[in-house]
């Protein structure tokens, strides 16, 4: 079974509008972390935002916020006021395991976001 | 502060040839990861190091892949011999430690094409 599912292969958004990228996850571990990364055409993975499974509040970082719905096992990324430079691939990822165990990031298939001027 | 450095950025080889990728993590980062990213997919972990110790290499195809991090700093990933299916982007990442809250910082990757 897929651990991380991103159901939107591609998304379009008008510049200055908000957009939501979907991510659902599957784990039986009570301790996990959820991440969003941006990958522009240059190839580098850029960290955007992190949410811990025990965090009570949704994470926010500037124009990025994570809509964390634990019961639904979803961790959607919301980008407010889209900019042309936001056009890229976006990956949702999960790390399972207890604190200090480390552990690999499990990535979804990605969503390609295109921002229209 | 310098980011994760990888070289080469691009490599084209014929099948059955050997190839090696090099990674220098961010200074002070004890944890180093190698990921492989196939076209149109997310990265998949190949191996994780804590200092010089490989603590998770369960997804490294050990018949043809090898990796080392001798002094706990930079690392080399090798494929010998390469197969057509090894064409992918190989990403190196580092983090300060294994704590799962720490973000991983990625390098630009090495794009390998096997002909």
């Amino acid at each position: 079974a897929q651990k991380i599912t991103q159901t939107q292969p591609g998304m379009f958004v008008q510049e200055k509008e908000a957009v939501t990228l979907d991510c659902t996850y599957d784990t039986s571990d009570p301790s996990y972390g959820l991440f969003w990364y941006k990958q522009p055409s240059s190839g580098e993975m850029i960290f955007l935002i992190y949410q811990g499974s025990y965090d009570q509040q949704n994470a926010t970082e500037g124009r990025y916020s994570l809509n964390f719905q634990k019961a639904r096992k979803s961790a959607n990324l919301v980008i407010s006021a889209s900019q042309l430079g936001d056009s890229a691939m976006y990956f949702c990822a999960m790390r399972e395991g207890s604190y200090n165990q480390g552990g690999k990031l499990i990535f979804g298939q990605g969503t390609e976001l295109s921002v229209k001027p | 502060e310098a980011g994760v450095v990888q070289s080469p950025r691009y490599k084209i080889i014929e099948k059955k040839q050997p190839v090696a990728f090099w990674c220098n993590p961010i200074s002070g980062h004890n944890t180093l990861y190698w990921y492989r990213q196939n076209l149109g997919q997310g990265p998949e972990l190949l191996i994780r190091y804590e200092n010089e110790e490989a603590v998770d290499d369960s997804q490294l195809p050990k018949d043809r892949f090898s990796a080392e991090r001798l002094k706990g700093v930079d690392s080399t990933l090798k494929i010998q011999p390469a197969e057509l299916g090894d064409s992918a982007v190989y990403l190196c990442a580092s983090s300060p430690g294994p704590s799962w809250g720490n973000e991983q910082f990625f390098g630009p990757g090495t794009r390998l094409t096997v002909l």
Side-chain angles (χ1 to χ4, degrees):
Chain A
Q2 289 278 7
K3 289 268 190 175
I4 295 285
T5 303
Q6 295 181 253
T7 57
Q8 306 153 314
M11 289 278 289
F12 288 93
V13 64
Q14 203 69 35
E15 191 179 8
K16 298 182 184 177
E17 293 185 351
V19 63
T20 298
L21 306 183
D22 294 341
C23 173
T24 57
Y25 59 92
D26 182 25
T27 182
S28 57
D29 197 321
S31 298
Y32 54 91
L34 296 160
F35 301 75
W36 277 91
Y37 281 84
K38 172 184 178 181
Q39 188 175 43
S41 56
S42 60
E44 191 164 347
M45 299 285 283
I46 302 167
F47 168 77
L48 296 178
I49 197 166
Y50 164 79
Q51 179 89 40
S53 60
Y54 294 119
D55 293 343
Q56 295 295 318
Q57 293 192 333
N58 287 345
T60 59
E61 290 285 350
R63 295 187 298 112
Y64 305 107
S65 60
L66 200 152
N67 184 2
F68 182 45
Q69 297 188 39
K70 198 169 183 177
R72 292 187 174 185
K73 293 188 175 180
S74 75
N76 299 338
L77 176 71
V78 180
I79 306 174
S80 62
S82 298
Q83 301 172 357
L84 296 179
D86 293 335
S87 294
M89 282 290 288
Y90 288 80
F91 289 96
C92 178
M94 176 177 66
R95 182 186 290 177
E96 296 174 307
S98 303
Y99 189 81
N100 270 338
Q101 278 189 342
K104 61 187 177 186
L105 285 177
I106 303 167
F107 286 84
Q109 299 280 71
T111 294
E112 184 168 10
L113 177 67
S114 298
V115 180
K116 295 180 177 179
Chain B
E1 178 182 312
V4 176
V5 179
Q6 289 188 249
S7 67
R9 290 294 314 275
Y10 304 91
K11 189 73 177 179
I12 301 174
I13 61 171
E14 294 191 346
K15 62 180 180 181
K16 301 185 182 179
Q17 293 298 306
V19 65
F21 315 124
W22 177 80
C23 171
N24 192 31
I26 293 173
S27 178
H29 282 195
N30 297 323
T31 309
L32 185 146
Y33 310 78
W34 282 103
Y35 289 87
R36 176 169 60 188
Q37 185 175 20
N38 292 318
L39 187 65
Q41 298 183 19
E44 295 180 325
L45 181 75
L46 291 173
I47 189 167
R48 172 170 68 97
Y49 282 94
E50 296 299 337
N51 298 302
E52 64 273 8
E53 182 183 0
V55 296
D56 183 358
D57 62 355
S58 56
Q59 293 189 256
L60 188 73
K62 298 182 183 63
D63 56 337
R64 298 182 299 106
F65 285 67
S66 64
E68 60 183 15
R69 194 186 185 198
L70 294 176
K71 297 182 180 178
V73 181
D74 57 345
S75 176
T76 302
L77 178 69
K78 298 178 181 177
I79 308 174
Q80 183 171 12
E83 297 179 353
L84 295 176
D86 296 330
S87 294
V89 175
Y90 291 83
L91 294 163
C92 179
S94 71
S95 67
S99 304
W100 56 268
N102 287 330
E103 68 176 276
Q104 295 180 16
F105 297 83
F106 284 79
T110 296
R111 183 177 297 276
L112 174 66
T113 302
V114 182
L115 303 175

